[in-house]
PDB file of all heavy atoms in Angstrom:
ATOM      1  N   ARG A  35     -58.472 -36.368  -0.880  1.00  0.00           N
ATOM      2  CA  ARG A  35     -57.171 -35.745  -0.649  1.00  0.00           C
ATOM      3  C   ARG A  35     -56.403 -36.537   0.377  1.00  0.00           C
ATOM      4  O   ARG A  35     -56.970 -37.067   1.325  1.00  0.00           O
ATOM      5  CB  ARG A  35     -57.355 -34.329  -0.086  1.00  0.00           C
ATOM      6  CG  ARG A  35     -57.899 -33.358  -1.047  1.00  0.00           C
ATOM      7  CD  ARG A  35     -58.149 -32.047  -0.324  1.00  0.00           C
ATOM      8  NE  ARG A  35     -56.910 -31.456   0.142  1.00  0.00           N
ATOM      9  CZ  ARG A  35     -56.742 -30.947   1.352  1.00  0.00           C
ATOM     10  NH1 ARG A  35     -57.685 -30.978   2.229  1.00  0.00           N
ATOM     11  NH2 ARG A  35     -55.586 -30.423   1.691  1.00  0.00           N
ATOM     12  N   ALA A  39     -53.670 -29.287   4.732  1.00  0.00           N
ATOM     13  CA  ALA A  39     -54.435 -28.744   5.851  1.00  0.00           C
ATOM     14  C   ALA A  39     -55.904 -29.001   5.559  1.00  0.00           C
ATOM     15  O   ALA A  39     -56.278 -29.243   4.429  1.00  0.00           O
ATOM     16  CB  ALA A  39     -54.154 -27.249   5.980  1.00  0.00           C
ATOM     17  N   GLY A  40     -56.750 -28.937   6.594  1.00  0.00           N
ATOM     18  CA  GLY A  40     -58.178 -29.159   6.387  1.00  0.00           C
ATOM     19  C   GLY A  40     -58.472 -30.637   6.240  1.00  0.00           C
ATOM     20  O   GLY A  40     -57.682 -31.483   6.641  1.00  0.00           O
ATOM     21  N   PRO A  41     -59.634 -30.966   5.641  1.00  0.00           N
ATOM     22  CA  PRO A  41     -60.039 -32.372   5.605  1.00  0.00           C
ATOM     23  C   PRO A  41     -59.109 -33.150   4.709  1.00  0.00           C
ATOM     24  O   PRO A  41     -58.861 -32.772   3.580  1.00  0.00           O
ATOM     25  CB  PRO A  41     -61.445 -32.309   5.012  1.00  0.00           C
ATOM     26  CG  PRO A  41     -61.451 -31.078   4.187  1.00  0.00           C
ATOM     27  CD  PRO A  41     -60.514 -30.116   4.846  1.00  0.00           C
ATOM     28  N   MET A  55     -67.771 -34.748   4.593  1.00  0.00           N
ATOM     29  CA  MET A  55     -66.478 -35.358   4.297  1.00  0.00           C
ATOM     30  C   MET A  55     -66.369 -36.612   5.158  1.00  0.00           C
ATOM     31  O   MET A  55     -66.535 -36.554   6.376  1.00  0.00           O
ATOM     32  CB  MET A  55     -65.331 -34.394   4.634  1.00  0.00           C
ATOM     33  CG  MET A  55     -65.389 -33.059   3.914  1.00  0.00           C
ATOM     34  SD  MET A  55     -65.334 -33.152   2.124  1.00  0.00           S
ATOM     35  CE  MET A  55     -63.642 -33.669   1.836  1.00  0.00           C
ATOM     36  N   LEU A 116     -61.713 -28.105  -4.461  1.00  0.00           N
ATOM     37  CA  LEU A 116     -63.128 -28.053  -4.108  1.00  0.00           C
ATOM     38  C   LEU A 116     -63.332 -28.846  -2.825  1.00  0.00           C
ATOM     39  O   LEU A 116     -62.902 -29.998  -2.731  1.00  0.00           O
ATOM     40  CB  LEU A 116     -63.974 -28.659  -5.234  1.00  0.00           C
ATOM     41  CG  LEU A 116     -65.479 -28.483  -5.048  1.00  0.00           C
ATOM     42  CD1 LEU A 116     -65.892 -27.019  -5.263  1.00  0.00           C
ATOM     43  CD2 LEU A 116     -66.252 -29.377  -6.030  1.00  0.00           C
ATOM     44  N   HIS A 117     -63.964 -28.219  -1.853  1.00  0.00           N
ATOM     45  CA  HIS A 117     -64.349 -28.916  -0.604  1.00  0.00           C
ATOM     46  C   HIS A 117     -65.867 -29.038  -0.588  1.00  0.00           C
ATOM     47  O   HIS A 117     -66.571 -28.139  -1.063  1.00  0.00           O
ATOM     48  CB  HIS A 117     -63.924 -28.119   0.626  1.00  0.00           C
ATOM     49  CG  HIS A 117     -62.471 -28.242   0.968  1.00  0.00           C
ATOM     50  ND1 HIS A 117     -61.967 -27.936   2.209  1.00  0.00           N
ATOM     51  CD2 HIS A 117     -61.421 -28.641   0.236  1.00  0.00           C
ATOM     52  CE1 HIS A 117     -60.661 -28.138   2.238  1.00  0.00           C
ATOM     53  NE2 HIS A 117     -60.298 -28.558   1.037  1.00  0.00           N
ATOM     54  N   GLY A 118     -66.359 -30.107   0.037  1.00  0.00           N
ATOM     55  CA  GLY A 118     -67.809 -30.292   0.055  1.00  0.00           C
ATOM     56  C   GLY A 118     -68.295 -30.317  -1.384  1.00  0.00           C
ATOM     57  O   GLY A 118     -67.710 -30.983  -2.232  1.00  0.00           O
ATOM     58  N   VAL A 121     -67.541 -25.263  -2.192  1.00  0.00           N
ATOM     59  CA  VAL A 121     -66.592 -24.416  -1.466  1.00  0.00           C
ATOM     60  C   VAL A 121     -65.208 -24.563  -2.108  1.00  0.00           C
ATOM     61  O   VAL A 121     -64.734 -25.677  -2.324  1.00  0.00           O
ATOM     62  CB  VAL A 121     -66.472 -24.835   0.016  1.00  0.00           C
ATOM     63  CG1 VAL A 121     -65.614 -23.835   0.784  1.00  0.00           C
ATOM     64  CG2 VAL A 121     -67.827 -24.982   0.652  1.00  0.00           C
ATOM     65  N   LEU A 122     -64.604 -23.421  -2.392  1.00  0.00           N
ATOM     66  CA  LEU A 122     -63.223 -23.442  -2.880  1.00  0.00           C
ATOM     67  C   LEU A 122     -62.322 -23.238  -1.665  1.00  0.00           C
ATOM     68  O   LEU A 122     -62.602 -22.378  -0.835  1.00  0.00           O
ATOM     69  CB  LEU A 122     -63.033 -22.309  -3.897  1.00  0.00           C
ATOM     70  CG  LEU A 122     -61.693 -22.276  -4.613  1.00  0.00           C
ATOM     71  CD1 LEU A 122     -61.534 -23.492  -5.523  1.00  0.00           C
ATOM     72  CD2 LEU A 122     -61.563 -20.995  -5.445  1.00  0.00           C
ATOM     73  N   ALA A 123     -61.265 -24.027  -1.564  1.00  0.00           N
ATOM     74  CA  ALA A 123     -60.405 -23.918  -0.372  1.00  0.00           C
ATOM     75  C   ALA A 123     -58.954 -23.936  -0.781  1.00  0.00           C
ATOM     76  O   ALA A 123     -58.552 -24.640  -1.709  1.00  0.00           O
ATOM     77  CB  ALA A 123     -60.693 -25.073   0.584  1.00  0.00           C
ATOM     78  N   HIS A 178     -68.571 -19.961  -1.945  1.00  0.00           N
ATOM     79  CA  HIS A 178     -67.728 -19.238  -0.997  1.00  0.00           C
ATOM     80  C   HIS A 178     -66.352 -19.892  -0.969  1.00  0.00           C
ATOM     81  O   HIS A 178     -66.154 -20.950  -1.584  1.00  0.00           O
ATOM     82  CB  HIS A 178     -68.348 -19.119   0.401  1.00  0.00           C
ATOM     83  CG  HIS A 178     -68.791 -20.389   1.049  1.00  0.00           C
ATOM     84  ND1 HIS A 178     -68.265 -20.852   2.237  1.00  0.00           N
ATOM     85  CD2 HIS A 178     -69.725 -21.294   0.711  1.00  0.00           C
ATOM     86  CE1 HIS A 178     -68.873 -21.965   2.588  1.00  0.00           C
ATOM     87  NE2 HIS A 178     -69.766 -22.262   1.677  1.00  0.00           N
ATOM     88  N   VAL A 180     -62.575 -20.606   1.313  1.00  0.00           N
ATOM     89  CA  VAL A 180     -61.825 -20.658   2.569  1.00  0.00           C
ATOM     90  C   VAL A 180     -60.348 -20.458   2.259  1.00  0.00           C
ATOM     91  O   VAL A 180     -59.778 -21.174   1.432  1.00  0.00           O
ATOM     92  CB  VAL A 180     -62.026 -22.022   3.258  1.00  0.00           C
ATOM     93  CG1 VAL A 180     -61.101 -22.156   4.457  1.00  0.00           C
ATOM     94  CG2 VAL A 180     -63.479 -22.198   3.683  1.00  0.00           C
ATOM     95  N   GLN A 212     -63.717 -16.603   3.653  1.00  0.00           N
ATOM     96  CA  GLN A 212     -63.331 -16.763   5.053  1.00  0.00           C
ATOM     97  C   GLN A 212     -61.806 -16.829   5.132  1.00  0.00           C
ATOM     98  O   GLN A 212     -61.171 -17.605   4.413  1.00  0.00           O
ATOM     99  CB  GLN A 212     -63.896 -18.042   5.688  1.00  0.00           C
ATOM    100  CG  GLN A 212     -63.399 -18.189   7.137  1.00  0.00           C
ATOM    101  CD  GLN A 212     -64.051 -19.306   7.929  1.00  0.00           C
ATOM    102  OE1 GLN A 212     -63.852 -20.472   7.635  1.00  0.00           O
ATOM    103  NE2 GLN A 212     -64.829 -18.931   8.940  1.00  0.00           N
ATOM    104  N   GLN A 214     -58.579 -17.741   7.677  1.00  0.00           N
ATOM    105  CA  GLN A 214     -58.318 -18.552   8.881  1.00  0.00           C
ATOM    106  C   GLN A 214     -56.853 -18.395   9.266  1.00  0.00           C
ATOM    107  O   GLN A 214     -55.966 -18.648   8.454  1.00  0.00           O
ATOM    108  CB  GLN A 214     -58.592 -20.036   8.604  1.00  0.00           C
ATOM    109  CG  GLN A 214     -60.029 -20.328   8.210  1.00  0.00           C
ATOM    110  CD  GLN A 214     -60.299 -21.804   7.946  1.00  0.00           C
ATOM    111  OE1 GLN A 214     -59.363 -22.602   7.828  1.00  0.00           O
ATOM    112  NE2 GLN A 214     -61.551 -22.170   7.848  1.00  0.00           N
ATOM    113  N   TYR A 281     -62.625 -23.880  15.163  1.00  0.00           N
ATOM    114  CA  TYR A 281     -62.682 -25.323  14.922  1.00  0.00           C
ATOM    115  C   TYR A 281     -62.299 -25.993  16.234  1.00  0.00           C
ATOM    116  O   TYR A 281     -61.305 -25.630  16.864  1.00  0.00           O
ATOM    117  CB  TYR A 281     -61.589 -25.650  13.910  1.00  0.00           C
ATOM    118  CG  TYR A 281     -61.931 -26.524  12.733  1.00  0.00           C
ATOM    119  CD1 TYR A 281     -62.458 -25.985  11.562  1.00  0.00           C
ATOM    120  CD2 TYR A 281     -61.662 -27.892  12.755  1.00  0.00           C
ATOM    121  CE1 TYR A 281     -62.708 -26.777  10.455  1.00  0.00           C
ATOM    122  CE2 TYR A 281     -61.913 -28.687  11.650  1.00  0.00           C
ATOM    123  CZ  TYR A 281     -62.441 -28.126  10.502  1.00  0.00           C
ATOM    124  OH  TYR A 281     -62.685 -28.905   9.415  1.00  0.00           O
ATOM    125  N   PHE A 308     -67.347 -24.668  15.699  1.00  0.00           N
ATOM    126  CA  PHE A 308     -67.537 -25.753  14.740  1.00  0.00           C
ATOM    127  C   PHE A 308     -66.805 -26.983  15.297  1.00  0.00           C
ATOM    128  O   PHE A 308     -65.580 -27.071  15.228  1.00  0.00           O
ATOM    129  CB  PHE A 308     -66.960 -25.318  13.384  1.00  0.00           C
ATOM    130  CG  PHE A 308     -67.260 -26.261  12.257  1.00  0.00           C
ATOM    131  CD1 PHE A 308     -68.536 -26.772  12.070  1.00  0.00           C
ATOM    132  CD2 PHE A 308     -66.275 -26.622  11.359  1.00  0.00           C
ATOM    133  CE1 PHE A 308     -68.820 -27.636  11.020  1.00  0.00           C
ATOM    134  CE2 PHE A 308     -66.539 -27.477  10.302  1.00  0.00           C
ATOM    135  CZ  PHE A 308     -67.821 -27.985  10.138  1.00  0.00           C
ATOM    136  N   VAL A 310     -65.793 -30.711  15.222  1.00  0.00           N
ATOM    137  CA  VAL A 310     -65.660 -31.759  14.195  1.00  0.00           C
ATOM    138  C   VAL A 310     -65.006 -32.996  14.814  1.00  0.00           C
ATOM    139  O   VAL A 310     -64.186 -32.882  15.725  1.00  0.00           O
ATOM    140  CB  VAL A 310     -64.813 -31.275  12.989  1.00  0.00           C
ATOM    141  CG1 VAL A 310     -65.362 -29.992  12.410  1.00  0.00           C
ATOM    142  CG2 VAL A 310     -63.365 -31.088  13.359  1.00  0.00           C
ATOM    143  N   GLY A 355     -67.218 -19.947   4.794  1.00  0.00           N
ATOM    144  CA  GLY A 355     -66.305 -20.667   5.678  1.00  0.00           C
ATOM    145  C   GLY A 355     -66.743 -22.050   6.082  1.00  0.00           C
ATOM    146  O   GLY A 355     -67.777 -22.565   5.640  1.00  0.00           O
ATOM    147  N   CYS A 356     -65.940 -22.635   6.976  1.00  0.00           N
ATOM    148  CA  CYS A 356     -66.151 -24.023   7.375  1.00  0.00           C
ATOM    149  C   CYS A 356     -67.496 -24.221   8.059  1.00  0.00           C
ATOM    150  O   CYS A 356     -68.193 -25.196   7.791  1.00  0.00           O
ATOM    151  CB  CYS A 356     -65.030 -24.471   8.305  1.00  0.00           C
ATOM    152  SG  CYS A 356     -63.485 -24.709   7.425  1.00  0.00           S
ATOM    153  N   GLY A 357     -67.871 -23.309   8.955  1.00  0.00           N
ATOM    154  CA  GLY A 357     -69.151 -23.467   9.644  1.00  0.00           C
ATOM    155  C   GLY A 357     -70.293 -23.478   8.641  1.00  0.00           C
ATOM    156  O   GLY A 357     -71.242 -24.252   8.765  1.00  0.00           O
ATOM    157  N   LYS A 358     -70.208 -22.633   7.621  1.00  0.00           N
ATOM    158  CA  LYS A 358     -71.263 -22.587   6.604  1.00  0.00           C
ATOM    159  C   LYS A 358     -71.249 -23.864   5.767  1.00  0.00           C
ATOM    160  O   LYS A 358     -72.290 -24.434   5.480  1.00  0.00           O
ATOM    161  CB  LYS A 358     -71.051 -21.371   5.698  1.00  0.00           C
ATOM    162  CG  LYS A 358     -72.156 -21.181   4.687  1.00  0.00           C
ATOM    163  CD  LYS A 358     -71.937 -19.917   3.876  1.00  0.00           C
ATOM    164  CE  LYS A 358     -73.131 -19.618   3.001  1.00  0.00           C
ATOM    165  NZ  LYS A 358     -74.339 -19.287   3.767  1.00  0.00           N
ATOM    166  N   CYS A 359     -70.067 -24.295   5.360  1.00  0.00           N
ATOM    167  CA  CYS A 359     -69.932 -25.522   4.565  1.00  0.00           C
ATOM    168  C   CYS A 359     -70.432 -26.716   5.369  1.00  0.00           C
ATOM    169  O   CYS A 359     -71.282 -27.482   4.916  1.00  0.00           O
ATOM    170  CB  CYS A 359     -68.468 -25.710   4.167  1.00  0.00           C
ATOM    171  SG  CYS A 359     -68.064 -27.371   3.607  1.00  0.00           S
ATOM    172  N   GLY A 360     -69.885 -26.861   6.557  1.00  0.00           N
ATOM    173  CA  GLY A 360     -70.373 -27.881   7.477  1.00  0.00           C
ATOM    174  C   GLY A 360     -69.987 -29.313   7.149  1.00  0.00           C
ATOM    175  O   GLY A 360     -70.386 -30.238   7.861  1.00  0.00           O
ATOM    176  N   ALA A 361     -69.229 -29.536   6.080  1.00  0.00           N
ATOM    177  CA  ALA A 361     -69.023 -30.916   5.620  1.00  0.00           C
ATOM    178  C   ALA A 361     -68.127 -31.752   6.543  1.00  0.00           C
ATOM    179  O   ALA A 361     -68.189 -32.972   6.507  1.00  0.00           O
ATOM    180  CB  ALA A 361     -68.434 -30.905   4.208  1.00  0.00           C
ATOM    181  N   CYS A 362     -67.318 -31.102   7.370  1.00  0.00           N
ATOM    182  CA  CYS A 362     -66.409 -31.869   8.228  1.00  0.00           C
ATOM    183  C   CYS A 362     -67.061 -32.329   9.527  1.00  0.00           C
ATOM    184  O   CYS A 362     -66.417 -32.974  10.348  1.00  0.00           O
ATOM    185  CB  CYS A 362     -65.155 -31.057   8.535  1.00  0.00           C
ATOM    186  SG  CYS A 362     -64.036 -31.023   7.128  1.00  0.00           S
ATOM    187  N   SER A 363     -68.321 -31.973   9.725  1.00  0.00           N
ATOM    188  CA  SER A 363     -69.024 -32.362  10.955  1.00  0.00           C
ATOM    189  C   SER A 363     -70.485 -32.565  10.593  1.00  0.00           C
ATOM    190  O   SER A 363     -70.957 -32.023   9.588  1.00  0.00           O
ATOM    191  CB  SER A 363     -68.902 -31.249  11.997  1.00  0.00           C
ATOM    192  OG  SER A 363     -69.755 -31.495  13.091  1.00  0.00           O
TER     193      SER A 363
HETATM  194  S1  LIG B 401     -65.863 -27.656   6.677  1.00  0.00           S
HETATM  195 FE1  LIG B 401     -64.076 -26.424   6.016  1.00  0.00          FE
HETATM  196  S2  LIG B 401     -62.353 -27.823   5.914  1.00  0.00           S
HETATM  197 FE2  LIG B 401     -64.293 -29.055   5.973  1.00  0.00          FE
HETATM  198  S3  LIG B 401     -64.819 -29.420   3.802  1.00  0.00           S
HETATM  199 FE3  LIG B 401     -65.918 -27.593   4.434  1.00  0.00          FE
HETATM  200  S4  LIG B 401     -64.559 -25.895   3.887  1.00  0.00           S
HETATM  201 FE4  LIG B 401     -63.293 -27.731   3.846  1.00  0.00          FE
END
Side-chain angles (χ1 to χ4, degrees):
R35 290 175 65 225
M55 302 300 290
L116 188 71
H117 281 199
V121 187
L122 186 66
H178 53 119
V180 172
Q212 177 171 68
Q214 299 180 347
Y281 227 87
F308 188 46
V310 306
C356 287
K358 185 177 188 66
C359 163
C362 284
S363 170

